[in-house]
Amino acid sequence: MNAIRGGRSLFLVMLVLFLITGCSTNKDVSTKETGKKTASKEGGTLVIARLSDAENLDQQFMSTINAASVTHRKVYEGLVGRDKNAEIQPLLAEKWEQVNDTTWEFKLRKGVKFHDGTDFNANAVKATFDRLLDPKVASPRAVVFKMVKEVKVIDDYTVQFILSEPFSPLLSILASHEGGIISPKTIEKYGKNIIKEPNGTGPFVFESWTPGQEIVLTKNKNYWGEKAKVDKVVFKVVPEETTRISMLETGEAQIAEPLSVPMMDTVAASQAVDVYRSEGYGTEYIGFNVQKKPFNDERVRKAIAHAVEMDSILKGVYNNVGKKANSLLGSKVFGYNPDMKAYEYNLNEAKKLLAEAGYPNGFEVTLKTMDSKERVNMAEVLQSQLKGIGVKLKIQVLEYGTFVDQANKGDTEMFILSWRNATGDADYNQYNLFHTNSQGGAGNTFFYSNKEADRLIEAARSEKDQEKRKELYAQSQQLEMKEAVYIPVRVIENLAAVSKDVKGFSISPSGYLELNDVSIK
């Protein structure tokens, strides 16, 4: 079996190299224009070859941007959204105001219909958030709207969000995928079960999902806003990267994502394909389950942090793509603390801490990661580095969905993961990743709990003064670093391989694929 798989991979690499003719230097298609200008045309099918399938298509149950990218701003839309400069803009709400500390009022857009023909109105907004917040539904994303006490219908096109406490980043959460408005008929059909046929107001209509194979969306010809330029979008699940890239070369697909760092040079040399790069809000990190031995001891976590030589990982694994992280907030996120310091490489200190914790000869532990090239490469480098302090690292590589499921359940000791901040606000990072209420599927896969961290995070949520919010987040980040809950690796760069026939494609800083303006030559 291994021999067959290896032979197939070698053949695919040779195929890619054969198909690529000519040579060029590395290019960033986010900043360059290619020579001749050929007019783009509307219509056609956009095929996106992806590493992994969505875990589900219900944004109230999604735990990954990978899944949200399929439906957010395509099938589902929120009351507000972000433009290309990441600024909050009207979407299904035309305007809004904060009436007082705990009341926000939204005036809704008229004349909008869901894909099933149902009118979009205040009752639809209320039905969506009532479902999200219903304890019987048990949505893992309910935690991000925990402060919403009631969505109150004022009239057909006016709603108020009544909060239990002041919450400054409300608009940023409403602009993320969790804020997508669902057709009341779909809510009635599925109730507390996961929605298998998403039904929103967006520029694309859900057509079909064959799990493990493909998801198909078609153009919404009755869309209230500017209509999509392509007729159909097909998200194909293609686990092998060489296959994804060869599909672009042969015209079977137009976008392949994610693109790994090792494959960047190959793609950059192509006459048919470009490398897309943009800095994201998210970060990649090494995490510990702080409730599991030996990582329930802070000294052990600090020892591991001191034993990791991050510069060699960034250079050797990532070819310095994505700058070194000093926390789990990307530098573009509101609340980022530039003064944060990660643990320095110091083997003597690492050995000393292990001995103090009762592990003078080290220990054996399992590190889990998803099946991506960089993550596996990083795991192998960590395995080599940690031998220096007597830690024997067993690497377990899992299919993406399985890995996420195990991390959410706490079936981990040590893991490599990333968090793609969906809102650009530190709250989305701090509350989801570190608050006690978020343990498990909501994001806190460290299973970390600290009353002082909870207090700081909650205070920052309710603080109106933005400079004071930044200071509170600086304090919470310092506390999390002091307790070595994680080891920051790098700020994520969004990478994709894109056919030169495609125009208008981008990936938002949050990591969502932006397809509404895409056209194909």
Side-chain angles (χ1 to χ4, degrees):
M1 183 68 180
N2 287 339
I4 293 172
R5 183 176 295 170
R8 183 165 180 256
S9 296
L10 178 61
F11 169 75
L12 288 165
V13 171
M14 292 176 66
L15 175 62
V16 171
L17 293 173
F18 174 76
L19 288 165
I20 294 174
T21 56
C23 185
S24 63
T25 57
N26 280 352
K27 302 180 186 103
D28 181 343
V29 298
S30 62
T31 58
K32 77 174 181 69
E33 292 289 334
T34 51
K36 286 187 190 173
K37 298 215 173 188
T38 305
S40 298
K41 62 182 181 181
E42 294 200 6
T45 297
L46 177 70
V47 178
I48 303 172
R50 311 187 81 196
L51 168 66
S52 308
D53 201 359
E55 73 266 25
N56 65 68
L57 296 178
D58 186 333
Q59 89 275 8
Q60 294 184 353
F61 282 84
M62 289 173 181
S63 60
T64 67
I65 297 292
N66 178 66
S69 264
V70 176
T71 58
H72 182 58
R73 297 292 296 270
K74 302 165 192 69
V75 177
Y76 291 124
E77 297 177 304
L79 299 181
V80 297
R82 288 189 183 272
D83 62 18
K84 290 184 178 179
N85 296 316
E87 298 293 329
I88 298 288
Q89 299 292 342
L91 201 55
L92 292 179
E94 291 186 316
K95 57 184 178 179
W96 57 87
E97 66 171 323
Q98 186 172 1
V99 179
N100 55 49
D101 282 355
T102 56
T103 304
W104 294 66
E105 184 169 282
F106 295 83
K107 295 290 185 182
L108 306 181
R109 192 177 297 278
K110 297 177 181 178
V112 176
K113 289 186 180 291
F114 289 98
H115 299 152
D116 60 10
T118 304
D119 287 334
F120 164 74
N121 55 29
N123 287 322
V125 176
K126 179 173 174 56
T128 292
F129 286 95
D130 283 355
R131 176 181 185 261
L132 175 64
L133 297 170
D134 185 348
K136 293 178 181 177
V137 174
S139 162
R141 305 313 303 149
V143 68
V144 303
F145 283 105
K146 169 180 167 284
M147 78 303 298
V148 177
K149 186 165 64 174
E150 178 190 2
V151 174
K152 185 177 180 181
V153 173
I154 305 302
D155 59 43
D156 283 352
Y157 292 97
T158 307
V159 293
Q160 287 185 347
F161 281 66
I162 313 297
L163 311 184
S164 58
E165 58 194 14
F167 182 66
S168 291
L170 179 66
L171 293 177
S172 72
I173 300 274
L174 288 171
S176 70
H177 62 272
E178 292 97 340
I181 309 300
I182 308 167
S183 166
K185 285 186 179 178
T186 297
I187 291 173
E188 187 178 344
K189 176 179 178 180
Y190 286 97
K192 64 182 180 181
N193 298 316
I194 290 178
I195 293 169
K196 293 185 171 62
E197 298 171 345
N199 187 341
T201 59
F204 290 98
V205 178
F206 171 77
E207 182 178 289
S208 64
W209 181 23
T210 307
Q213 295 183 39
E214 67 178 28
I215 298 168
V216 181
L217 309 179
T218 56
K219 179 177 181 175
N220 179 6
K221 295 179 181 177
N222 299 313
Y223 182 54
W224 62 268
E226 186 176 343
K227 294 176 176 58
K229 294 179 172 60
V230 296
D231 294 328
K232 184 179 287 190
V233 178
V234 180
F235 298 90
K236 281 192 175 292
V237 180
V238 184
E240 290 190 352
E241 184 171 35
T242 48
T243 306
R244 295 199 295 274
I245 301 304
S246 68
M247 287 173 70
L248 266 65
E249 295 291 343
T250 59
E252 294 174 75
Q254 288 75 44
I255 297 169
E257 65 89 26
L259 176 65
S260 71
V261 171
M263 190 62 79
M264 284 178 65
D265 286 348
T266 301
V267 172
S270 171
Q271 289 187 338
V273 186
D274 278 321
V275 174
Y276 172 88
R277 296 176 65 173
S278 64
E279 184 177 329
Y281 289 144
T283 55
E284 207 153 12
Y285 57 93
I286 302 157
F288 306 105
N289 185 330
V290 301
Q291 293 188 6
K292 293 269 188 79
K293 287 186 176 181
F295 299 122
N296 59 340
D297 190 320
E298 183 181 310
R299 294 169 295 185
V300 173
R301 303 194 298 267
K302 286 181 177 178
I304 300 292
H306 277 304
V308 175
E309 210 290 285
M310 195 57 68
D311 288 339
S312 64
I313 289 176
L314 293 173
K315 184 178 180 181
V317 175
Y318 293 102
N319 198 24
N320 291 322
V321 173
K323 58 191 177 189
K324 190 175 182 178
N326 66 344
S327 76
L328 292 199
L329 286 180
S331 58
K332 293 185 176 222
V333 176
F334 174 86
Y336 168 73
N337 180 7
D339 299 324
M340 280 276 291
K341 303 289 184 189
Y343 288 87
E344 293 182 352
Y345 179 62
N346 188 330
L347 281 184
N348 288 332
E349 182 66 15
K351 290 174 182 177
K352 177 186 167 190
L353 286 164
L354 277 188
E356 289 176 3
Y359 300 98
N361 300 314
F363 52 83
E364 188 174 284
V365 69
T366 298
L367 178 142
K368 292 186 178 181
T369 184
M370 62 175 283
D371 53 349
S372 77
K373 286 183 180 179
E374 291 103 331
R375 299 276 176 89
V376 174
N377 290 347
M378 193 196 335
E380 290 171 348
V381 174
L382 287 171
Q383 185 180 54
S384 175
Q385 289 186 357
L386 295 183
K387 283 180 184 176
I389 57 170
V391 173
K392 297 177 182 177
L393 206 61
K394 293 191 298 180
I395 299 170
Q396 189 173 356
V397 180
L398 301 168
E399 181 273 329
Y400 182 67
T402 304
F403 170 63
V404 169
D405 184 58
Q406 291 190 14
N408 288 345
K409 289 177 179 175
D411 185 14
T412 54
E413 295 173 302
M414 189 173 168
F415 52 89
I416 302 171
L417 201 49
S418 63
W419 184 259
R420 291 180 175 270
N421 190 308
T423 67
D425 191 288
D427 177 75
Y428 196 88
N429 170 288
Q430 290 291 287
Y431 195 90
N432 284 286
L433 289 178
F434 298 104
H435 197 281
T436 302
N437 290 344
S438 300
Q439 289 182 359
N444 184 353
T445 53
F446 312 113
F447 291 84
Y448 175 67
S449 179
N450 181 302
K451 287 182 180 179
E452 178 61 9
D454 289 351
R455 185 193 70 78
L456 290 165
I457 293 165
E458 289 166 11
R461 304 188 110 192
S462 59
E463 178 57 61
K464 276 187 171 182
D465 187 310
Q466 298 304 300
E467 291 306 311
K468 288 181 181 177
R469 286 189 73 215
K470 287 181 182 179
E471 177 54 32
L472 288 163
Y473 286 132
Q475 292 177 46
S476 64
Q477 290 172 75
Q478 291 284 8
L479 178 56
E480 293 144 12
M481 182 64 73
K482 175 181 172 291
E483 298 195 336
V485 182
Y486 65 92
I487 304 171
V489 178
R490 66 177 188 128
V491 177
I492 292 172
E493 270 200 42
N494 300 311
L495 297 177
V498 182
S499 166
K500 293 185 179 183
D501 289 338
V502 168
K503 301 297 177 190
F505 170 75
S506 64
I507 303 176
S508 75
S510 299
Y512 299 120
L513 304 183
E514 303 288 354
L515 307 180
N516 298 351
D517 295 328
V518 168
S519 59
I520 308 169
K521 285 183 189 175

